[in-house]
Amino acid sequence: MLAVFQTAFMTKPISLLVDFCERRPRTAWLLSLALVLLLVGIESGYWVVHDYPGAMWHNTPRGDDIEIAMDRAAVAGPRELAGFWTGQMLVGNGYYRPLSSCLFVLQYHLFGEEDRRWQAVSVASHLGVALALVGLASVLLEGPLFRRLTIGTLAAVLMGGPGFADRSVQQWILGWWPCQPDLWSLLAAFGLFAAVTRYARDHRKGDAALALFLFALGVSFKEMAFVAGLGACLLLVRHRRAWPLLALLAVEGVVLFVFRHWALRGQSNSVDAPTIERVFLALSPVVGPVPTDPILFVLHFLPVGAAALLFFSLRKKLGAAPAGTAALAAYLGVSFVLSGGPLEPAFLAQVQQHGRLALRGALLAGLLLAARRWPVPELIVLTLCSVVLVAGVNPVFGHYRYWASVFGSLLAAVALVTLAEHLWRRRLPAPAT
């Protein structure tokens, strides 16, 4: 695999980086994690420096999830802590989250009612997710260390870096500390995926036991971890020798679900059924309104069509670079005619939307190329599940989309790196025979 990768990227800088990662893996890891910590830390620091803008606890009242939790944490003793494991969580709102409840009690005794100190735990946990995402990518994916670290680092930056992080999600994750179970259950899910992947490759009993433990741990933080159990089973489907662990995880999931239902005495909270509009909204960033009138729709995409037609008609005669330059000129010229000068709001909005659509197209192309290899199809299904299962929740509550944003960022990084590899291979001369 290393030889194939170096052949595909026959440039001195890339070859030097590949060799460096193989010779100095510990240093490569430290540099990758430091870069993630720096970039995600800058974005996370925005919320800290600006005193968590939009945080509901700035208001009075601060919200039931905070006020009830703190009131009950103040008087929680051994009996109450034990009761979380056979009943509702600390707030008593129809959820089974015993470990999260215990940690909230601990934080109350450490921080009292100072919300900013509770938020420091959220920020640290979010940074932990970003760092763990690099590790997850290195375990799940195949190829040389340089490729795996590149994908993991890019995924973490897309998830939480400046200019890339979805602030409608970050506002809740980093500004509303009752969202901490989303972070903790996701960290347990990362460990679960890593354990089942190692087991699928090496069949060590310790990894199987660890996977079973981490599944239960994740559910103890938040019920969203049932999605992780499903994802772990998906990762094992194509590994026949690992089917016994798949069966154990499936049985464990059923047992945990039944026990959770019993503990809640049938009082579990429910959400509305997901709608098509909410599913599409959660699947990808909003690209702006597209005209529904047929004539306006054609005019909206006419610049793109003109550019594509010119590019494909000239590519063989002139080459890719001159044809691309001519296509860009055609796009801008048609856009000027239809939307006005380059500083007109209509022109800027149209170009921005077309750029987003082009990026989506590139991501889709890269994803189709990457989907030929395990475990990309499984990750696609996992991401879709993490979207659909919470699509019935009011979109205002952005923290429900945190899992989807993390796994979506990982898929985007895989797609971009795979597409870059594919395009670069096409530039290389054919090997001599």
Side-chain angles (χ1 to χ4, degrees):
M1 176 62 72
L2 177 59
V4 172
F5 187 84
Q6 288 177 314
T7 302
F9 286 83
M10 198 76 67
T11 61
K12 189 171 183 179
I14 296 296
S15 296
L16 289 175
L17 287 173
V18 173
D19 292 337
F20 173 79
C21 290
E22 297 301 325
R23 288 186 293 104
R24 305 286 296 275
R26 181 175 298 180
T27 303
W29 268 103
L30 290 175
L31 291 174
S32 178
L33 295 177
L35 180 61
V36 168
L37 193 60
L38 173 65
L39 294 178
V40 179
I42 290 174
E43 173 64 22
S44 302
Y46 162 83
W47 300 93
V48 179
V49 170
H50 293 85
D51 197 24
Y52 308 97
M56 294 176 62
W57 46 263
H58 285 310
N59 305 321
T60 302
R62 293 181 292 171
D64 289 346
D65 283 349
I66 287 180
E67 295 182 348
I68 295 177
M70 288 186 171
D71 288 344
R72 294 182 177 177
V75 297
R79 181 178 180 180
E80 286 74 21
L81 293 174
F84 295 145
W85 296 91
T86 57
Q88 296 181 351
M89 71 173 297
L90 178 65
V91 184
N93 54 3
Y95 292 118
Y96 179 78
R97 301 171 187 173
L99 201 47
S100 295
S101 300
C102 292
L103 291 179
F104 283 152
V105 173
L106 175 63
Q107 287 183 74
Y108 180 83
H109 288 288
L110 291 174
F111 308 138
E113 298 188 4
E114 180 49 62
D115 295 290
R116 290 170 183 82
R117 299 178 69 184
W118 291 64
Q119 290 302 156
V121 177
S122 297
V123 173
S125 300
H126 176 66
L127 292 174
V129 167
L131 296 175
L133 187 56
V134 181
L136 179 65
S138 72
V139 174
L140 281 179
L141 305 175
E142 297 178 341
L145 181 60
F146 173 73
R147 181 180 190 270
R148 290 180 283 129
L149 286 181
T150 298
I151 292 176
T153 303
L154 180 58
V157 173
L158 291 175
M159 180 273 293
F164 296 103
D166 185 345
R167 286 193 169 178
S168 68
V169 175
Q170 303 268 308
Q171 179 180 357
W172 287 88
I173 289 297
L174 298 178
W176 180 243
W177 60 257
C179 301
Q180 289 175 10
D182 291 276
L183 293 152
W184 299 331
S185 60
L186 184 58
L187 287 170
F190 283 0
L192 170 60
F193 296 151
V196 298
T197 300
R198 288 196 302 264
Y199 180 80
R201 291 171 178 159
D202 303 326
H203 303 284
R204 296 178 181 174
K205 293 181 179 180
D207 289 327
L210 181 62
L212 295 171
F213 169 74
L214 289 171
F215 185 19
L217 186 73
V219 172
S220 298
F221 280 123
K222 188 173 181 178
E223 60 281 354
M224 190 69 180
F226 283 112
V227 177
L230 174 61
C233 291
L234 287 172
L235 291 173
L236 296 173
V237 166
R238 285 200 268 175
H239 295 79
R240 192 178 186 87
R241 290 181 60 192
W243 282 4
L245 177 58
L246 189 158
L248 288 174
L249 287 169
V251 171
E252 181 183 17
V254 173
V255 171
L256 289 173
F257 188 85
V258 171
F259 180 81
R260 173 181 173 275
H261 181 77
W262 170 82
L264 295 176
R265 313 298 193 269
Q267 299 180 16
S268 176
N269 282 9
S270 60
V271 298
D272 297 334
T275 63
I276 295 297
E277 293 80 5
R278 286 183 177 177
V279 170
F280 277 107
L281 178 64
L283 276 174
S284 55
V286 180
V287 298
V290 175
T292 56
D293 182 89
I295 296 178
L296 293 178
F297 183 88
V298 171
L299 292 176
H300 185 76
F301 290 104
L302 186 60
V304 177
L309 180 62
L310 191 61
F311 175 79
F312 287 110
S313 63
L314 297 178
R315 184 179 59 173
K316 291 184 178 180
K317 297 179 181 179
L318 304 178
T325 303
L328 178 59
Y331 173 83
L332 294 175
V334 176
S335 297
F336 288 161
V337 173
L338 295 178
S339 304
L343 298 181
E344 293 293 331
F347 173 83
L348 295 175
Q350 180 171 278
V351 171
Q352 184 181 41
Q353 184 178 4
H354 290 162
R356 289 176 176 172
L357 289 173
L359 177 59
R360 280 182 163 188
L363 289 173
L364 179 60
L367 205 54
L368 290 175
L369 291 171
R372 303 171 183 174
R373 292 163 54 179
W374 181 90
V376 177
E378 289 81 357
L379 288 176
I380 293 173
V381 176
L382 171 64
T383 304
L384 290 174
C385 289
S386 65
V387 170
V388 173
L389 291 180
V390 298
V393 179
N394 191 323
V396 170
F397 302 115
H399 59 95
Y400 284 93
R401 300 194 301 275
Y402 186 62
W403 279 48
S405 72
V406 171
F407 292 121
S409 298
L410 178 57
L411 283 177
V414 170
L416 289 173
V417 171
T418 302
L419 183 61
E421 292 171 348
H422 176 75
L423 294 176
W424 194 261
R425 286 192 198 100
R426 291 173 65 92
R427 293 184 56 187
L428 294 177
T433 56

